[in-house]
Amino acid sequence: LRLTRRVLLLNIVPVVIAFIIAGVVYFISMAMIVTLSSSSREVESIEKTMQRHAVYAQLEIELSKLTVDELNASQIIDAITVHLKQVNSDFAIIDGQIIIASSIVLNRIDVNQILNSLTFQHEMIQISGINTEYKVIPLASKQAYLFIMHPFQKQLFSLWIPAIIAIVTFLIVFISISIYISRKITNEIIRPVERLKQAAAQISEGELDSVITEEGEGEVLELCKALEQMRIKLKESISLQQKYDSNRSFLVSSISHDLKTPVTSIKGYIEGILDGVANTPDKQKAYLLTAHRKTILIHTMIEDLLLYSKLDLRQLPFHMQPIDFAAYITDGVQEHYNLMQMKNLKLELQINELKERHVLLDGDRFMRVVQNIIDNAIHYNDKESPELTIMLRETYTSLVLEVKDNGIGINQEDTERIFDRFYRSDKARSVETGSGLGLAIVKQIVEEHKGEIWVKSSEGIGTSILISLPKVKGEIRK
Ligand SMILES: Nc1ncnc2c1ncn2[C@@H]1O[C@H](COP(=O)(O)OP(=O)(O)OP(=O)(O)O)[C@@H](O)[C@H]1O
Ligand SMILES: [Mg+2]
């Protein structure tokens, strides 16, 4: 539920529930009171009832002979009053349609009830709202009666009681539900928001490592998620920034270090020409050619550095598409054919029968991988008859390319480090070509293709570089 709707609902719910419960309680207590009141008829014991009726009977015998005026004499009335009070009864004297005397105060409704009961013989009438049994004793005068009333036990409970019970119930239910809801709101909204506030404060102080837990509901939960996202993004961007910085300082230091040697020698050769040390045109040409070679080397180094740096910062776009890897490798090797012939290298291409031959590839960028590995295989070979075997096999999930040479090999310690940037074995270092970035670039490109690269080598015998790339399964869109 959205927060606003929720809060609205939470406001209405206690009122409605409290109202319903109070209503039910009201009706139940009302019903109980009514049954209690009506069953109070049985409160009077049988003895008392008999005694009462005995008194009535005696009064009937003695008074029915009297006229109204005789009855109305004060000492008789006093006697009647005393007798009736003993059995908890009252009376009224009726002459015609008028009540001329009574032992209790009667209102107009009571009078009507009494007069009515002379005509319609009800079992019971209501006097002052109380159920009352009555007895009519006709007097000697015409249309004159002694009207005896016996109220059943006074109403035990007032009708206000159910209302009061209902109101109290309403208040108790309303207050307890409100307390429950406010606890719930505190737990689900206010506490999480407070924690979020602390988390935001931590973030603003640069403390980005503590995870913001998802809690609460609705918008609060979304806010937690959003803030956690923000924290992750911020952390990423800061670590990327740090990587940029360290990368830059690394490049600066390695550029200055690695460029120093060729630049010094270029400087030396050019000074040789300027100073006249190279005093013949042939010598001058030789000096210039050497300087030129070194310049090309510097150029390559700078290119490699830039490429590596871009790959490392993942700034280089890759355009992947499904490519027939077997055909791609065959074509790629063909391009190196001349160089291989020049170096008198024996090439063998072994491509097994492949069920699936497609991988996702950026053809242009991956060519750099093939080129670097073949270059290394040709370069680091001191054998009389250098050999290069290129194999392509298939596993269940990948295609595996193996480039195997019979070159100088790599010792065990170095195999773990040849993919590091600027790493060159001592032997390679002495040759003083290349930047030492070749395999580092290769590794970056392979990993960008979600592939893996590793090396198997034994010193003096030869080296195998292996690359596995995930196969594209299913139909290939062209
Ligand atoms: N086929 C191989 N046989 C023997 N050693 C190799 C082979 N391939 C690479 N190496 C070793 O691994 C090191 C790193 O290779 P990498 O290609 O990264 O750099 P590089 O060849 O020295 O320079 P670059 O390729 O940038 O011109 C090499 O210096 C070499 O010592
Ligand atoms: Mg190389």
Side-chain angles (χ1 to χ4, degrees):
L1 280 179
R2 313 304 292 174
L3 212 56
T4 31
R5 233 192 301 163
R6 219 177 137 73
V7 169
L8 199 72
L9 203 76
L10 290 182
N11 272 323
I12 295 169
V13 163
V15 179
V16 173
I17 292 181
F19 188 77
I20 291 172
I21 292 179
V24 170
V25 165
Y26 177 80
F27 282 111
I28 290 175
S29 52
M30 190 71 162
M32 277 169 66
I33 281 169
V34 168
T35 39
L36 272 180
S37 309
S38 58
S39 67
S40 62
R41 187 205 285 250
E42 283 129 40
V43 168
E44 189 179 47
S45 69
I46 297 169
E47 276 163 61
K48 276 198 171 162
T49 315
M50 282 169 64
Q51 194 189 347
R52 187 156 58 83
H53 284 286
V55 171
Y56 292 172
Q58 206 185 348
L59 285 177
E60 186 164 19
I61 295 167
E62 283 172 18
L63 301 180
S64 55
K65 298 175 213 113
L66 302 180
T67 62
V68 185
D69 298 332
E70 284 164 345
L71 187 76
N72 209 8
S74 59
Q75 64 272 49
I76 293 184
I77 285 193
D78 287 348
I80 296 171
T81 311
V82 170
H83 272 86
L84 285 178
K85 274 290 170 240
Q86 280 169 357
V87 291
N88 197 18
S89 299
D90 290 297
F91 69 90
I93 300 169
I94 303 165
D95 187 9
Q97 287 295 309
I98 299 158
I99 292 178
I100 55 167
S102 71
S103 61
I104 45 166
V105 182
L106 299 170
N107 61 30
R108 199 157 13 147
I109 299 168
D110 298 336
V111 172
N112 277 339
Q113 290 258 9
I114 291 171
L115 294 179
N116 251 331
S117 64
L118 297 179
T119 344
F120 312 100
Q121 262 128 38
H122 304 291
E123 193 192 342
M124 200 130 3
I125 54 170
Q126 290 253 319
I127 300 294
S128 307
I130 297 166
N131 285 340
T132 305
E133 205 183 78
Y134 65 91
K135 181 171 176 64
V136 183
I137 299 174
L139 299 177
S141 357
K142 205 178 165 209
Q143 289 211 335
Y145 307 93
L146 175 69
F147 192 88
I148 301 175
M149 295 166 279
H150 172 73
F152 281 107
Q153 196 154 30
K154 292 239 165 61
Q155 194 107 33
L156 277 175
F157 310 98
S158 151
L159 290 181
W160 280 105
I161 289 176
I164 291 168
I165 293 177
I167 289 169
V168 171
T169 314
F170 180 87
L171 288 177
I172 291 173
V173 174
F174 179 77
I175 290 170
S176 20
I177 295 181
S178 297
I179 289 173
Y180 171 75
I181 285 177
S182 69
R183 286 239 175 96
K184 215 168 139 64
I185 289 182
T186 312
N187 284 337
E188 281 176 9
I189 299 173
I190 297 172
R191 293 246 171 78
V193 168
E194 252 160 32
R195 278 194 276 271
L196 276 182
K197 200 177 117 192
Q198 287 169 1
Q202 276 188 339
I203 288 176
S204 71
E205 282 161 18
E207 154 68 37
L208 291 170
D209 288 324
S210 33
V211 177
I212 297 165
T213 43
E214 286 177 13
E215 53 185 339
E217 276 180 48
E219 279 94 336
V220 178
L221 188 74
E222 279 163 29
L223 194 61
C224 286
K225 285 183 186 163
L227 210 65
E228 172 65 4
Q229 285 286 316
M230 190 187 90
R231 183 190 70 84
I232 292 170
K233 283 269 156 59
L234 208 61
K235 208 181 155 183
E236 275 173 3
S237 82
I238 286 177
S239 76
L240 191 68
Q241 188 59 48
Q242 284 168 349
K243 202 174 167 189
Y244 268 99
D245 292 347
S246 77
N247 208 45
R248 195 171 32 203
S249 55
F250 174 76
L251 284 183
V252 168
S253 74
S254 46
I255 286 170
S256 38
H257 179 265
D258 279 42
L259 293 189
K260 205 177 163 193
T261 331
V263 169
T264 313
S265 72
I266 291 171
K267 183 172 162 259
Y269 284 109
I270 292 176
E271 277 171 2
I273 297 170
L274 291 177
D275 298 351
V277 176
N279 44 12
T280 64
D282 278 353
K283 257 191 184 172
Q284 285 173 350
K285 193 180 177 193
Y287 273 38
L288 277 176
L289 278 175
T290 318
H292 183 237
R293 246 194 359 261
K294 300 277 174 192
T295 319
I296 291 172
L297 179 64
I298 292 173
H299 180 78
T300 332
M301 282 168 84
I302 292 173
E303 293 269 272
D304 281 1
L305 274 167
L306 284 176
L307 177 63
Y308 176 79
S309 155
K310 278 186 185 159
L311 281 167
D312 196 33
L313 297 174
R314 309 193 64 142
Q315 280 179 344
L316 221 54
F318 277 73
H319 306 288
M320 305 291 192
Q321 57 196 100
I323 284 179
D324 180 336
F325 199 45
Y328 177 84
I329 292 297
T330 316
D331 291 351
V333 171
Q334 224 82 68
E335 282 179 25
H336 290 74
Y337 196 70
N338 282 343
L339 181 66
M340 292 176 193
Q341 276 205 322
M342 230 166 66
K343 299 259 175 180
N344 194 23
L345 185 124
K346 198 175 141 229
L347 173 78
E348 198 181 329
L349 198 64
Q350 293 178 6
I351 296 186
N352 290 6
E353 192 61 36
L354 301 173
K355 275 197 205 130
E356 285 148 320
R357 41 208 303 148
H358 285 82
V359 291
L360 273 185
L361 217 62
D362 182 328
D364 292 340
R365 297 218 189 286
F366 202 81
M367 204 32 87
R368 183 70 196 250
V369 173
V370 179
Q371 189 190 329
N372 271 345
I373 293 172
I374 292 180
D375 278 354
N376 281 346
I378 296 172
H379 198 85
Y380 302 108
N381 200 318
D382 54 355
K383 301 278 156 44
E384 291 264 311
S385 53
E387 284 169 23
L388 182 61
T389 315
I390 296 176
M391 289 167 274
L392 190 59
R393 326 183 265 279
E394 173 176 42
T395 70
Y396 185 64
T397 52
S398 337
L399 294 184
V400 180
L401 174 72
E402 177 171 354
V403 181
K404 186 179 172 191
D405 63 48
N406 64 344
I408 60 172
I410 307 165
N411 70 39
Q412 195 57 39
E413 284 164 38
D414 286 345
T415 50
E416 281 156 31
R417 305 182 56 193
I418 58 167
F419 297 109
D420 292 352
R421 49 192 179 185
F422 296 113
Y423 185 77
R424 312 185 72 198
S425 72
D426 292 338
K427 276 184 203 160
R429 212 169 276 280
S430 59
V431 182
E432 227 198 57
T433 54
S435 59
L437 279 170
L439 287 178
I441 290 171
V442 164
K443 188 172 187 210
Q444 296 265 23
I445 295 175
V446 169
E447 279 172 358
E448 203 67 52
H449 285 80
K450 306 210 164 30
E452 279 175 63
I453 184 164
W454 66 102
V455 59
K456 289 193 290 194
S457 184
S458 33
E459 230 182 331
I461 296 174
T463 306
S464 276
I465 302 280
L466 295 105
I467 293 173
S468 80
L469 290 176
K471 290 197 283 201
V472 180
K473 300 229 168 190
E475 216 177 296
I476 311 294
R477 280 183 298 118
K478 284 277 159 76

